[in-house]
Amino acid sequence: MTRLNGKTAVITGGATGIGLAAAQRLIDEGAFVFLFGRRQDVLDAAVADLGPNARGVQGSVSDEADLDRLYAAVKAERGTLDIVFANAGVGSQLKLGEITAEHIDETFDINVKGTIFTVQKALPLMGEGGSIILTGSSAGTTGAPAFTAYSASKAAVRNLARTWAEDLKGTGIRVNVLSPGATATELAKAALGEEGQKVFASMTPLQRMADPAEIGAAAAFLASSDSSFMTASELAVDGGLAQL
Ligand SMILES: NC(=O)c1ccc[n+]([C@@H]2O[C@H](COP(=O)([O-])OP(=O)(O)OC[C@H]3O[C@@H](n4cnc5c(N)ncnc54)[C@H](OP(=O)(O)O)[C@@H]3O)[C@@H](O)[C@H]2O)c1
C-alpha cells in the first residue's frame, strides 16, 4: 500500500511494542518515521531493523528540551510533519491503599503531560491534512484492578482529543484517540504478569490479546486520509474488552 507516500511521522515510544509495529506499518505504506524514546540502544536496534526511512531521536516526552530537539531534527531533515502518534506511555499497578505520590507523578508526567507537550510542540510543523493520534486504553473507560493512576491518565488522554478538536478547528488537522485493549508487549508483561495476561485474554470477547501489528494497522488508518472525516473520535482496538 502507498497511502502514506511522502508523509513524515513522529512516533513517541516508537522503538518497542505498539510504537514499533506502527512504525513498520507506516514505513510499509510509504512514510518516513522519527522514533523517540529514552533508551539509545533500543532506538538504534529499531532503526537498524526498520531501514533507511527511520530515524531515532533519544529523549523523554516529560522533558520539554528533549521534545524541542526532536522537532528541530524533524524540521532540519523533512521541513514539515504530517503525522504524530503520541504513543509513549507507562503503566504499573498499585492498589488503593498503597498508592504513592511518586507513582502518580511518574504516570501523569509521561502519559498526560508528555502527550500534551508532544502535540503542542509538533503543531508549528503541521498543517492541513495533518493527523494526530493519541494513545488511550480500554482502561480509560473500564475499571481495572489496581490501575488507578494508569486508568485515570488514559481517561485524561481520551478527553484531550475532544478538547483539541475544538482548539484545532479551522486548521485542517485531525486528532483522534486509539485505545488498545490488552496487547502482547513488554509493558503488558511487566504490568500484568503471565497470569494477569491470561486473565485479560479470557475477559476479552475475542479470547486473546492483540498482536501489536493489529494496533499498528489501526494507527495507519487514522494517519491516512481513509479516516478523513474522523476527529475527536476514540477508536477502540480491544477485541471488545471495553465495549460490552
Ligand atoms: N500493551 C497493552 O496492553 C496496552 C493497552 C492499552 C494501551 N497501551 C498503551 O500503548 C502505548 C505503548 O505501550 P506498549 O504496550 O507498546 O509498551 P512498551 O513496549 O513498553 O512501549 C512503551 C514505549 O514508550 C517509551 N517511553 C516510555 N516512557 C517514555 C518517555 N518518558 N519518553 C519517551 N518515550 C517513553 C518506551 O521507551 P523508553 O523506555 O526507551 O523510553 C517504549 O518504547 C502506551 O501508551 C500504553 O499505555 C498498551
Side-chain angles (χ1 to χ4, degrees), residues 60-69 113 117 120-121:
S60 171
V61 293
S62 57
D63 185 323
E64 288 190 63
D66 286 355
L67 286 168
D68 289 338
R69 272 195 302 103
K113 191 184 94 175
F117 284 111
Q120 181 164 286
K121 287 177 178 291

Side-chain angles (χ1 to χ4, degrees), residues 227-241:
S227 58
S228 55
F229 203 55
M230 288 178 71
T231 196
S233 288
E234 180 179 24
L235 180 61
V237 187
D238 65 359
L241 180 62

Side-chain angles (χ1 to χ4, degrees), residues 12-20 36-40 42-43 59-63 85-91 106 109-111 135-139 150 154 178-189 192 209 212 215:
T12 63
T16 65
I18 290 168
L20 179 60
F36 185 66
R38 294 168 300 182
R39 289 167 295 169
Q40 187 69 57
V42 176
L43 283 169
S60 171
V61 293
S62 57
D63 185 323
F85 184 19
N87 160 79
V90 290
E106 192 209 355
D109 209 34
I110 295 174
N111 294 4
T135 305
S137 169
S138 53
Y150 181 73
K154 293 301 187 178
L178 173 51
S179 288
T183 306
T185 67
E186 288 305 315
L187 183 148
K189 205 186 287 176
L192 302 172
M209 294 176 73
I215 315 300

Side-chain angles (χ1 to χ4, degrees), residues 55-104:
R55 294 285 179 276
V57 178
Q58 189 277 335
S60 171
V61 293
S62 57
D63 185 323
E64 288 190 63
D66 286 355
L67 286 168
D68 289 338
R69 272 195 302 103
L70 165 66
Y71 292 119
V74 174
K75 189 173 182 189
E77 186 161 2
R78 302 286 294 182
T80 57
L81 180 60
D82 305 290
I83 299 155
V84 175
F85 184 19
N87 160 79
V90 290
S92 54
Q93 290 176 298
L94 275 185
K95 276 194 186 131
L96 188 61
E98 297 167 0
I99 298 164
T100 62
E102 291 73 22
H103 175 70
I104 297 171

Side-chain angles (χ1 to χ4, degrees), residues 114-171:
T115 297
I116 293 171
F117 284 111
T118 295
V119 171
Q120 181 164 286
K121 287 177 178 291
L123 292 177
L125 297 178
M126 299 185 77
E128 179 76 36
S131 175
I132 297 166
I133 305 157
L134 312 182
T135 305
S137 169
S138 53
T141 49
T142 61
F147 272 120
T148 296
Y150 181 73
S151 300
S153 75
K154 293 301 187 178
V157 167
R158 184 166 178 260
N159 185 272
L160 293 179
R162 294 162 188 221
T163 299
W164 290 346
E166 286 284 354
D167 288 350
L168 291 169
K169 269 183 187 164
T171 64

